[in-house]
Every structure is written in C-alpha cells, then in structure tokens.
Amino acid sequence: MDLKDIPEVKINTDWCKSCGICVAFCPRKVLEMGMFYAQVAHPEACSGCKMCENLCPDFAITVTLPVKTAEKVK
Amino acid sequence: MDYLYYLRQSKMPHIWCDGCGHGIVLKSLLRVIDKLGWDKNDVAVVSGIGCSSRTPGYVDFNTLHTTHGRALAFATGLKIAKPQLHVIVVTGDGDAVAIGGNHFIHAARRNIDISVIIYNNYIYGMTGGQVSPTTPTMKKATTTPFGNPDAPFDISRLAAAAGAAYVARTTVYHYARMDLYIEQALTKKGFSVVEVLSPCPTSYGKLNKLGNGVDMLMYQKENTVSLEKAAQLTPEELENKIVVGVFVDKEQADYQEHYQKVVQKSHNV
Ligand SMILES: Cc1ncc(C[n+]2csc(CCOP(=O)(O)OP(=O)(O)O)c2C)c(N)n1
Ligand code: SF4
C-alpha cells in the first residue's frame, strides 16, 4: 500500500509526557512507548479513528487523514 | 481541526501531570467551539484556582483567571456587562462546590446564561491531594489518611436541584459523549453544567492505589453506566459504578430576561 493513502500520525515530542494513554487505547496498536515519548511504530495499521488524538491530554498527537478518506468523511 | 489555533502556544506544554484527564476536557471544549464556529473574540473563559482552573491560561480567548471559588461571581458580572459574550466557566470540584459552593447553587438558582464545565477529580489536585466535597466515602486524601468519613456531593444532582437549565455528567474516556454534552451546554440558554470525571493519577490515584492515568481511564471505560441503565439496577449493583447522562434539559426564562423586565419597570417610575 502506498503510504500516502494511510493516515499520518504525528507526535509532538516536545509536548508528549509519555503517559501511555495513546499506546494503551489505540485499537490497532499503532503506537509504542519509547524511552521518552510515544512512537509511531506501525503507521500502516492506522485506521484514522483518532482515538489517540482525542484521548491525548497533552495535544501531542495529530492524525491527518489522507485526502481521499478526509473527503469521504465529509 | 487545528487545536493550535486556539492555544497560547508560548504557554505550552501545560502543567498538568502525565495521565491527568484535564487536557482531555480542554480538547473537547476546543473541538466544540471549533464546530460551533464561534469567533475567538466572542468567547470568554473564566476560572478560579486549581489545576483545572489553569485552563484559561492556555486558551486564546478572552480569559479571566480569578480567585479560588469565585469564578462564577466574576463570570456573572461579565455576562451582565457584556451579554453578547459566550461565557464559559471552567472549574474543579474544590473550586466549584467547596469554597465556591454558594456561588454555584445561587448561580444555578438565578439561571444566568453561563456554561460551567466542572473537572471533577474527587480531590484538591493542585495543593497536594486534600479531601474535597466529592471525595467518595472512605476514600483517601492527604487530610483523610484513614479514609473520608463524609458523604460526597453528587454535583449533577446538586445543580439540578438548585435550578440549572441543563445538567449532564460524563467521563473523559467517553469523549464523544463529552463533546455532545458540552455542545448542548454551550448552546443552552440559561445556566448549564457539565460535570466531567477527570482522573488525577498524581493525588487521588496514588493515594487510593488506582494506578496511573491509563488504569484510571480503563476504570472509566469498564464501569460507566447510563442513567437509563442505572434506573434498572439495584444500589448494590450500582456500587462503584459511574452514572453518566443528561440529568436536566429544560427551557425556562433566564436571568437576563427577568432582569430586563426589572429595568423596564424602573424606567416607568
Ligand atoms: C482563598 C484560597 N483558599 C485556598 C487556596 C488554596 N488552593 C488552591 S487550589 C485549591 C484546590 C483546588 O482543587 P480543585 O478545584 O478540585 O481543582 P484541581 O486542582 O483538583 O483541578 C486550594 C484549596 C487558595 N488558592 N485560595
Ligand atoms: S495534581 Fe492531579 S489534577 Fe493536578 S495536574 Fe496533576 S494529575 Fe492533574
């Protein structure tokens, strides 16, 4: 699959406090906890549900849907 | 949506601890304001003192960070002076129903057009975990090391009894429900209250051995029942359950309406 067709999960490492909420609640296990902050370990598994973004208390995760999906959601 | 547009980025990252639910509440509030398409200059966010009350410092609206327990008094003055503003009070359980308890019930009785979002974490987070009026019976705080002998306030039922036009309770874990309730509250004419249960892993969680932020969210996920379902359960079955839902949603004349009549009458004498 072309990476452009899947949602992009970005971590703001300056704001992440490594609470682990995204890692625990992502239904597709996209994220893993690194030494100091969460890391996007399996980007290809992301469904774009934004569970991690909505539950991140630190404004540290942004999920951008690919253009095609974003249009469908609209 | 772009949260950064609504944040004072120079104040970030915020001071809330890792795993604290307060940031999840703030995000929901910003999503709702974005959805409603309100201009930032038409919104005023007012708070008292506490971890939850730090919220106005981070948001790029008209903001007032006032004194402990008095957010509603300031917000009342603001709403009366500038009725066109959307006035939103963000407060903690201590700020709202301990030191600010009287302001809270009387603002509800007055039914002034203000929305209040209460971040209820069952404890005074900011000052190190003292007992609050919502700490459940026999749960621990630094000031009740052997357990809290008092019964807790049910904030939502208190607001309902005092006369609020809209009252709802949710957890931070159920963020879609939180978005819905906050939107209903913000668009309600009259006094509206959303009680959001927000984990404080640092004080309440640690003192009561409830684990970290993840564990406390998991607890919310697994132990929440709706008001409708709760009505069919026995008190034993409801023990340790979180009951969420809309407690009140009614149309009634707000303070402004009555106040205008008083102003008119005073002009006639
Ligand atoms: C008049 C006054 N009394 C006491 C305090 C100390 N104080 C600061 S925050 C706070 C409690 C805050 O608890 P809560 O509103 O539940 O917010 P949280 O920190 O848990 O989010 C207290 C007692 C104060 N700042 N001013
Ligand atoms: S002390 Fe508790 S309420 Fe305050 S920021 Fe930390 S976790 Fe949140």
Side-chain angles (χ1 to χ4, degrees):
Chain A
M1 188 168 48
D2 187 347
L3 272 183
K4 272 188 247 148
D5 293 336
I6 58 168
E8 185 191 18
V9 185
K10 263 208 226 148
I11 312 278
N12 178 342
T13 54
D14 289 337
W15 291 3
C16 174
K17 292 176 186 153
S18 63
C19 67
I21 289 175
C22 57
V23 176
F25 290 98
C26 167
R28 300 283 190 96
K29 303 276 165 255
V30 170
L31 300 123
E32 280 174 13
M33 191 48 67
M35 185 86 101
F36 300 111
Y37 39 75
Q39 286 170 342
V40 188
H42 305 289
E44 71 291 344
C46 176
S47 68
C49 71
K50 296 201 179 197
M51 186 95 174
C52 60
E53 181 183 300
N54 290 324
L55 283 179
C56 170
D58 292 287
F59 295 86
I61 304 187
T62 324
V63 180
T64 314
L65 301 182
V67 182
K68 271 193 222 155
T69 323
E71 266 165 14
K72 246 191 261 163
V73 173
K74 258 187 207 165
Chain B
M1 73 159 281
D2 180 15
Y3 295 102
L4 299 189
Y5 173 69
Y6 296 97
L7 291 177
R8 291 182 182 146
Q9 290 178 50
S10 61
K11 302 280 185 218
M12 296 288 290
H14 57 57
I15 52 134
W16 296 318
C17 305
D18 62 286
C20 173
H22 290 1
I24 309 177
V25 190
L26 172 54
K27 278 180 123 168
S28 175
L29 174 64
L30 296 182
R31 277 196 299 275
V32 172
I33 291 176
D34 190 72
K35 181 179 170 204
L36 293 172
W38 288 353
D39 190 291
K40 287 198 270 190
N41 293 319
D42 296 337
V43 177
V45 180
V46 185
S47 76
I49 300 292
C51 296
S52 34
S53 292
R54 294 291 291 244
T55 301
Y58 303 117
V59 290
D60 188 25
F61 302 113
N62 300 287
T63 58
L64 276 177
H65 190 185
T66 74
T67 53
H68 196 27
R70 311 302 185 227
L72 274 165
F74 286 85
T76 299
L78 184 62
K79 184 69 191 178
I80 292 170
K82 292 202 177 290
Q84 75 280 11
L85 282 180
H86 302 292
V87 180
I88 303 163
V89 168
V90 285
T91 171
D93 43 296
D95 196 63
V97 296
I99 189 169
N102 243 315
H103 292 293
F104 183 66
I105 54 174
H106 290 288
R109 176 174 69 88
R110 176 176 266 165
N111 194 32
I112 186 157
D113 188 17
I114 290 173
S115 304
V116 187
I117 299 172
I118 304 183
Y119 303 46
N120 183 3
N121 56 11
Y122 307 129
I123 206 152
Y124 291 0
M126 173 155 276
T127 42
Q130 293 82 358
V131 74
S132 114
T134 62
T135 309
T137 311
M138 293 322 289
K139 288 290 182 193
K140 286 183 185 163
T142 49
T143 43
T144 53
F146 305 107
N148 172 27
D150 289 326
F153 263 146
D154 179 326
I155 295 183
S156 291
R157 295 193 193 279
L158 178 69
Y166 180 90
V167 183
R169 176 161 57 218
T170 174
T171 69
V172 289
Y173 175 77
H174 300 91
Y175 58 81
R177 201 183 261 265
M178 173 159 60
D179 285 13
L180 175 71
Y181 293 170
I182 292 182
E183 182 180 345
Q184 290 176 343
L186 261 48
T187 50
K188 185 81 198 173
K189 189 177 79 142
F191 195 72
S192 54
V193 178
V194 182
E195 177 192 357
V196 184
L197 302 175
S198 172
C200 168
T202 302
S203 287
Y204 189 73
K206 194 165 160 200
L207 290 163
N208 291 289
K209 301 195 168 49
L210 301 174
N212 60 15
V214 172
D215 300 321
M216 293 178 84
L217 281 189
M218 204 59 92
Y219 184 87
Q220 294 191 335
K221 180 181 177 185
E222 287 162 3
N223 292 285
T224 300
V225 294
S226 67
L227 265 174
E228 298 72 37
K229 174 120 189 275
Q232 293 155 12
L233 299 177
T234 62
E236 291 74 41
E237 288 169 323
L238 275 175
E239 211 167 308
N240 295 321
K241 290 278 182 271
I242 303 168
V243 181
V244 298
V246 178
F247 291 75
V248 180
D249 188 357
K250 59 183 179 189
E251 301 302 324
Q252 60 188 22
D254 71 339
Y255 176 74
Q256 208 69 22
E257 237 179 283
H258 292 303
Y259 187 65
Q260 282 314 319
K261 283 186 202 151
V262 173
V263 171
Q264 281 307 323
K265 281 202 172 174
S266 72
H267 286 170
N268 296 338
V269 285

